[in-house]
Amino acid sequence: MKRLLLFIMLAMPMMVLASSVKSPNGNIVLTFELNGSTPTYSMTYKGKDVIKPSRLGFELAKDKHATMGMDQHDLMDGFYVMKEETSEFDETWKPVWGETATIRNHYNELCVTLGQEIVLKRRGPAVPGIHERPATALRTMLIRFRVYDDGIGFRYEFPQQRFLNYFIIKDEHTEFAMAGDHTAWWLPGDYDTQEQETQQTKLSEVRERMQKAVNWDNSSVAVFSPTGVQTSLQMKSDDGLYINIHEAACLDYATMHLELVDSQTKALTTKLGGGSNAYTPAPAPSPYPLPQPFTFVSHLTPDATGLKGAMQAPCNTPWRTVMVSDDARDMLSSNLILNLNEPCKIEDTSWIHPTKYCGVWWEMIVGKSSWNYTDDFPSIKLDSIDWTKVKPNGRHGANNEKVKRYIDFAAKNGLDQVLVEGWNVGWEDWANMWKRDVFDFVTPYPDFDIKMLNEYAHSKGVKLLMHHETSSSTQNYERHIKEAYELMNKYGYDAVKTGYVGDIIPRGDHHYSQSMNNHYLYVIKEAAKHHIMVNSHEATRPTGLCRTYPNLVGGESARGTEYEAFGGSRPDHTCILPFTRLQGGPMDYTPGIFETRLSTWSDNKSWARITIAGSLALYLTMYSPLQMAADLPEHYEKFDDAFQFIRDVACDWDDSRYLEAEPGDYITVARKAKGTDNWFIGGKCDENGHRSKIKLDFLDKKRTYQCTIYADAEDAHYETNPQAYTITRYVVKAGDVLKLTEAPGGGFAISLIAQ
Amino acid sequence: MKRLLLFIMLAMPMMVLASSVKSPNGNIVLTFELNGSTPTYSMTYKGKDVIKPSRLGFELAKDKHATMGMDQHDLMDGFYVMKEETSEFDETWKPVWGETATIRNHYNELCVTLGQEIVLKRRGPAVPGIHERPATALRTMLIRFRVYDDGIGFRYEFPQQRFLNYFIIKDEHTEFAMAGDHTAWWLPGDYDTQEQETQQTKLSEVRERMQKAVNWDNSSVAVFSPTGVQTSLQMKSDDGLYINIHEAACLDYATMHLELVDSQTKALTTKLGGGSNAYTPAPAPSPYPLPQPFTFVSHLTPDATGLKGAMQAPCNTPWRTVMVSDDARDMLSSNLILNLNEPCKIEDTSWIHPTKYCGVWWEMIVGKSSWNYTDDFPSIKLDSIDWTKVKPNGRHGANNEKVKRYIDFAAKNGLDQVLVEGWNVGWEDWANMWKRDVFDFVTPYPDFDIKMLNEYAHSKGVKLLMHHETSSSTQNYERHIKEAYELMNKYGYDAVKTGYVGDIIPRGDHHYSQSMNNHYLYVIKEAAKHHIMVNSHEATRPTGLCRTYPNLVGGESARGTEYEAFGGSRPDHTCILPFTRLQGGPMDYTPGIFETRLSTWSDNKSWARITIAGSLALYLTMYSPLQMAADLPEHYEKFDDAFQFIRDVACDWDDSRYLEAEPGDYITVARKAKGTDNWFIGGKCDENGHRSKIKLDFLDKKRTYQCTIYADAEDAHYETNPQAYTITRYVVKAGDVLKLTEAPGGGFAISLIAQ
């Protein structure tokens, strides 16, 4: 049988076999073709090319550890189709938390089983279960396509088999051939940071923008190519198609970047440099021909060896996703990424809950107080300091008095939790030292009474929110994680914000490698065992894992509000993030800055590019079950009428309607609060302002609503007059129309309370 | 003051400042000299050169993480002497276990404080505690020399200071300039294995022997230089000096190799290749001039980045040691390495005890039974197999019946413990796959009833000895270590044999790097918390840490008895190891093979190059508090009269006398069993045989002794007649003389029971 298949394969190398599958509504057509013996796919939307024929496959490392010492023939060509299967799937599921109460997962599937005959080396280790070493062997690889109304997902699958058992990926060669010189909203492809400002250029302009796009002062820069970009990558074609490339369910696999082949590309991946990248071996050149210009090629994040992935069959890659629509709002309402993830694996989810919180944090970011307790030592070793005897610097933020002030504020304003950063010893020399034993995660500074403060908080119906900065010393975190979580359980914490600032230890590894992705998942699973929710900062960008592990309630993985204290972010930033970063899951963006001119209350000269009304809008437009009121209590107290919206707004929803959207320009969304008939609407725009006309056709026709509108004042402006807002109240009903004007860098927020 | 010192330094660059210190008996003279501004040292023994003037210092990596972004001037020159201090130390301490009841630590010390003025970059991060950035800064480094009667130790120390805070070592440049073309017993310098056969050549012959010295089939070879060798390195000069270079107290620091500069050396360290070495960046060339031929230069083991050490002051290096004598026996009786380690850090040591054991092990090594339970899968994932349903291969060694047989044997013969390898799931694809989640260390195979077997053993006064093969996936081991040790506590195990076969995960790291040495120590400390003794296989070679952590009762870290089943080791092998590997601590050599021709009872064609009498001798000549009777019970039962010696011999001692010794030729030692007046004597020789004349002048003059001599028969020979031995009994007294003949590859063993 095997010989027959080999014969067939050899006999038809020039044939093109094509199979297509359509989305349920027929708008999207996915075509798989074997071009010669090379797998390719293409995709159209309403007859327009979205992905032109694009190669699929893998280069394998010629590594001694792989596949019983057998010949490491790449998984690039030499394939024939053994089997094709199509199927339909339609199911509605309920997320533990989310933008809607239910999510429909409806797709048509094409699964292609590919065979590849390889020649075996004469000598080599024994293969378990095989007594006589054959001359050739069959390897199989499946490619599974799922075609939705709003896009496609596909992944590679490797069944358990004798001759493709362990293998190491040198690089994945999944191509995405674009049909034109689209406009793209992109971040420089980087192994360690995703906190740069998003660039908006034509694909043809990526190369010339790259040097300017990289802030080389960022301590974690590790850029790999002059045309490398990150996912989720949002694009728009000249003929009005919105296209988004990302991935779903990236579990024990490296995070994917995209390397753009343009007219100047001579070869893939010339290592560009930066930080810990200096220690990553330069990749060996690929022997395969370059694709056409405007093609993206997958580029996986390497570990310290420069290798991209250690695989053991049975296994599969994450889903590679391409979302498409001629309506930008569909990019935001899509559940494609979540749907491609596995159902919830946590049996009892009763302890997982949406959370609104404030915290001892912004004043440290701004520089008004400090994480560390003393300035006395050039460096510290945790086991050799008597903390009760060191000289305090007098600026330590996480002190009993201040934390109680925040607890009081949270209790008074209905906030669930209070984050406290800098509570534990080790902050004196925590960052950028490649220091392994940086924190123990259990020892508080002497002015932070962990028992008293938790009891005080609980007595007021508030919880503290734990903070575990790892300083990227993941080995150290894993050594302490059980004791750290036991401490949390002991004192009644149920959520942790983790952090991964600086270069990774084990040294030479990168934030987005397979091993680090495994670490983040390990943390999520260990936390789940202890009924702890995780909010992971500086971790890899999310790919919808929160469906499977809903205790992953948030993350950073992008440029957050903290950058407003580091020089600022452009006003359009928050009109891009929902199209890019938020595709994979919620972001702990920490909105709510009311005192935008930091110099009015600190020595920090930076300022937030947003109006107060715009800040309120973010609680809607930046969906997250974890929402912070990030500014200081005294700043909210100055604007208590506006703060009322933050008190009122929900953070879990039964329904969401994206009313208006254009990447980098504006986003308007209406959401129905969980278990109620109340709606909240937010609109956020870029530096150009925006006029919104909102038809309230989603309200319950049998009810009226108390409508409160928090809007930019007529003369509001993110730079010159950010604190000018108006609050107006009406009674409205279904079908009414609201007309709103958003100031430059502004927005609006509306609460509609059912009567 | 600082400026004045700078002036002095600049004013005398060509001066040579020398300070000397002698050993307590005056035989050894250590001289420290500042040659220009470069630190050097030299050493003589009875007026003869041992170490000619040799450079001391460090090249530092120009890494962004180091020293607050300051200029990374190397620690090689530009030094001046700030202070010199001499002192004497004389103390006697008691080891928890050992070759003698007490150990004298007697040395003279010279401690030199060196200053180095460095120019600071104009810009750079703030230095804590320093408000205005000075133009220059003072850095200090101490070199502490301890001079014993049998050698020297010295180390570098870095006090806490503002301008040498965090730094990364590119390489340590400690030189050892030999006075001639000595004979050396050496192993190829290798980042991952120390299990090659020892080579005996002149220093000038190392380079031409190297290719032959490396067994490239070893799965862990990572060789770094054509003249790189390992420590402990034993040498002998043409004029009869025995010289040994090693290190003591290697804690959070990379293991040191030695790179020999010979007449052909053009530059240090050309990467030679092998295994995981492929992923280690090639070291940048050193800008410093080469030393004279016959000089060894320290070469530290890199981690995955190619860097050698991440340091945080205050800190120090391990001790670099040079032992010397004109009597080879002094090499074996020396306690210099132990003395240079810190005193015991474990408060309650009552649970630490010498142990004699047998185990389900040798039959797997030989290939007669298997570690794994099934052959059914090309690979396995621990979380997806129902072990009760898989098909057993019928060869699984660690089954209830067999383990009970070993327990019965141990109980009958006074052995304390039974090692069982292959008891836990995961052995189906454990090695050489770079598989991370290879074992969970808590799940037994279905035919190993962990509860029943421990209870059975305990009912007979025997304990089981735990086995944790990590497959070098240290990340996986650290994740499971607490649960694994809790399981041991639960079932009453008090000792674990750990293993590190294969390449390290985190991938790219090496067995002997700083990070791995930190891991081994982490394991020892975690074990101590659980009152568990550790016997660490394939870990880094020991440097006397068992003084500080006496729960480290043994280790492998050399070519053990297992190689007798892998083609054999030379008969002189066990006459070299006590001079080399054993300098740092006891070895779990697993002696006691009686059925040396493996083909008589298995399909294995290999054979052990030793006689039965020689095997008995190893229980004396290879000192260890942990001694295995490695052969199968049925083989011992065939030779029960010889096995009587293994039943009788102690493994903890009040006194030890090395009676005869020559590296690679013969070793004879007499030891007095702990808390008794009984003595045991062992003599072991190489392939040439040996005649011993033993004067029993160490016996108690007031007593007589029942003397039993286990000797090679007249026609015994390790190859042709290994099982020919005689057992004779006498009554002897102090002053009597025994004459013994050791066959080629043979030896003898004597018990002297006080009457």
Side-chain angles (χ1 to χ4, degrees), chain A residues 27-134:
Chain A
N27 285 345
I28 294 179
V29 181
L30 178 283
T31 303
F32 172 80
E33 290 183 284
L34 210 54
N35 186 348
S37 63
T38 299
T40 71
Y41 76 108
S42 57
M43 173 188 183
T44 60
Y45 175 79
K46 295 184 180 173
K48 290 180 185 173
D49 280 344
V50 178
I51 304 286
K52 296 201 293 181
S54 296
R55 194 162 44 185
L56 298 164
F58 296 87
E59 263 184 88
L60 301 186
K62 278 58 184 176
D63 185 275
K64 66 168 180 164
H65 300 92
T67 313
M68 317 299 289
M70 283 182 291
D71 205 356
Q72 279 307 299
H73 195 84
D74 289 336
L75 295 163
M76 292 291 287
D77 50 27
F79 287 106
Y80 61 96
V81 173
M82 296 175 71
K83 194 164 61 175
E84 290 188 344
E85 290 166 292
T86 56
S87 58
E88 191 186 344
F89 188 84
D90 191 359
E91 177 195 69
T92 297
W93 58 278
K94 288 187 183 180
V96 174
W97 44 260
E99 297 186 72
T100 52
T102 60
I103 293 176
R104 186 176 181 190
N105 187 10
H106 188 198
Y107 59 81
N108 291 323
E109 180 173 294
L110 167 66
C111 183
V112 185
T113 302
L114 298 170
Q116 184 197 47
E117 289 271 347
I118 55 161
V119 176
L120 292 186
K121 282 181 184 167
R122 291 245 181 139
R123 294 182 51 197
V127 183
I130 302 273
H131 289 293
E132 209 172 318
R133 198 172 180 81

Side-chain angles (χ1 to χ4, degrees), chain B residues 569-589:
Chain B
S569 297
R570 297 196 315 263
D572 66 349
H573 182 56
T574 50
C575 297
I576 298 169
L577 286 177
F579 288 93
T580 54
R581 161 64 182 79
L582 267 58
Q583 296 292 1
M587 177 173 174
D588 183 31
Y589 186 72

Side-chain angles (χ1 to χ4, degrees), chain A residues 61-68 128-129 160-162 165-166 168 218-221 252 275-276 279 281 303-307 310 312-315 375-381 428-429 432-437 474-475 478-480 482-483 502-503 506-509 514-515 518-519 522 526 529, chain B residues 61-68 128-129 160-162 165-166 168 218-221 252 275-276 279 281 303-307 310 312-315 375-381 428-429 432-437 474-475 478-480 482-483 502-503 506-509 514-515 518-519 522 526 529:
Chain A
K62 278 58 184 176
D63 185 275
K64 66 168 180 164
H65 300 92
T67 313
M68 317 299 289
Q160 186 159 64
Q161 50 193 305
R162 298 269 167 203
N165 189 359
Y166 291 89
I168 294 179
N218 181 308
S219 67
S220 292
V221 167
D252 197 359
S276 67
Y279 303 110
D303 65 16
T305 61
L307 298 172
Q312 177 192 353
C315 58
D375 296 336
D376 252 21
F377 307 100
S379 73
I380 58 155
K381 295 186 174 178
E428 281 62 29
D429 58 349
N432 299 317
M433 298 300 181
W434 253 0
K435 178 182 178 183
R436 189 193 51 233
D437 301 326
T474 64
Q475 184 185 26
E478 292 194 5
R479 284 181 178 180
H480 290 93
K482 286 190 177 71
E483 281 159 31
D503 289 337
R507 296 183 186 90
D509 206 347
Q514 179 188 31
S515 40
N518 174 273
H519 166 82
Y522 175 76
E526 287 299 309
K529 286 184 198 165
Chain B
K62 277 58 181 174
D63 185 275
K64 66 167 180 165
H65 300 91
T67 314
M68 319 299 290
Q160 184 159 62
Q161 51 192 302
R162 299 268 167 202
N165 189 358
Y166 291 90
I168 294 180
N218 181 307
S219 66
S220 292
V221 166
D252 196 359
S276 67
Y279 302 111
D303 65 16
T305 60
L307 297 173
Q312 179 192 353
C315 59
D375 297 335
D376 252 19
F377 307 99
S379 74
I380 58 153
K381 295 186 176 180
E428 281 63 28
D429 59 349
N432 298 319
M433 298 300 181
W434 253 359
K435 179 182 177 184
R436 189 193 51 232
D437 301 326
T474 63
Q475 185 185 26
E478 292 194 5
R479 284 181 178 179
H480 290 91
K482 286 190 177 71
E483 280 159 32
D503 288 337
R507 297 183 185 90
D509 205 348
Q514 180 188 31
S515 40
N518 175 273
H519 166 82
Y522 175 76
E526 286 299 311
K529 286 183 197 165

Side-chain angles (χ1 to χ4, degrees), chain A residues 666-681:
Chain A
Y666 53 83
I667 295 171
T668 306
V669 63
R671 302 188 193 272
K672 188 179 172 196
K674 194 86 178 173
T676 74
D677 271 336
N678 302 331
W679 286 77
F680 294 83
I681 310 177

Side-chain angles (χ1 to χ4, degrees), chain A residues 473-711:
Chain A
S473 180
T474 64
Q475 184 185 26
N476 183 56
Y477 191 40
E478 292 194 5
R479 284 181 178 180
H480 290 93
I481 198 165
K482 286 190 177 71
E483 281 159 31
Y485 289 174
E486 283 161 12
L487 185 93
M488 287 178 63
N489 286 159
K490 177 178 171 189
Y491 288 113
Y493 292 86
D494 69 1
V496 62
K497 172 182 174 179
T498 59
Y500 293 88
V501 171
D503 289 337
I504 302 295
I505 299 177
R507 296 183 186 90
D509 206 347
H510 293 291
H511 278 72
Y512 314 138
S513 70
Q514 179 188 31
S515 40
M516 280 302 298
N517 286 341
N518 174 273
H519 166 82
Y520 304 130
L521 187 58
Y522 175 76
V523 169
I524 293 166
K525 289 180 179 175
E526 287 299 309
K529 286 184 198 165
H530 292 83
H531 286 197
I532 288 169
M533 298 180 283
V534 177
N535 165 24
S536 193
H537 282 232
E538 296 93 17
T540 204
R541 43 198 168 279
T543 58
L545 295 186
C546 56
R547 176 181 179 188
T548 314
Y549 303 99
N551 67 320
L552 177 60
V553 290
E556 187 184 44
S557 310
R559 188 180 182 92
T561 293
E562 62 186 5
Y563 278 84
E564 302 288 24
F566 306 159
S569 297
R570 294 195 317 262
D572 66 349
H573 182 54
T574 51
C575 297
I576 299 169
L577 286 177
F579 286 94
T580 54
R581 161 64 182 78
L582 266 58
Q583 295 293 0
M587 177 174 176
D588 183 30
Y589 185 71
T590 67
I593 303 307
F594 280 14
E595 280 291 9
T596 58
R597 286 280 165 184
L598 308 181
S599 58
T600 59
W601 59 279
S602 77
D603 296 334
N604 193 317
K605 303 270 189 296
S606 192
W607 53 284
R609 272 80 171 154
I610 198 163
T611 66
I612 284 182
S615 281
L616 298 181
L618 297 181
Y619 291 85
L620 279 305
T621 60
M622 297 282 290
Y623 166 69
S624 175
L626 185 76
Q627 287 287 16
M628 187 177 198
D631 212 336
L632 273 53
E634 50 266 40
H635 299 163
Y636 288 133
E637 285 158 358
K638 267 177 72 179
F639 301 96
D640 189 67
D641 57 349
F643 189 67
Q644 183 62 41
F645 182 78
I646 297 179
R647 273 192 288 268
D648 291 342
V649 70
C651 48
D652 198 16
W653 312 99
D654 274 338
D655 200 1
S656 292
R657 309 281 177 96
Y658 286 90
L659 306 175
E660 305 176 295
E662 183 63 23
D665 289 346
Y666 53 83
I667 295 171
T668 306
V669 63
R671 302 188 193 272
K672 188 179 172 196
K674 194 86 178 173
T676 74
D677 271 336
N678 302 331
W679 286 77
F680 294 83
I681 310 177
K684 177 74 185 65
C685 69
D686 65 2
E687 70 283 3
N688 298 317
H690 179 64
R691 281 168 194 265
S692 269
K693 190 174 144 187
I694 299 171
K695 194 163 183 206
L696 300 175
D697 50 6
F698 42 82
L699 297 181
D700 187 337
K701 290 190 174 52
K702 288 169 281 180
R703 307 186 78 153
T704 58
Y705 292 80
Q706 178 67 46
C707 170
T708 308
I709 300 177
Y710 304 77

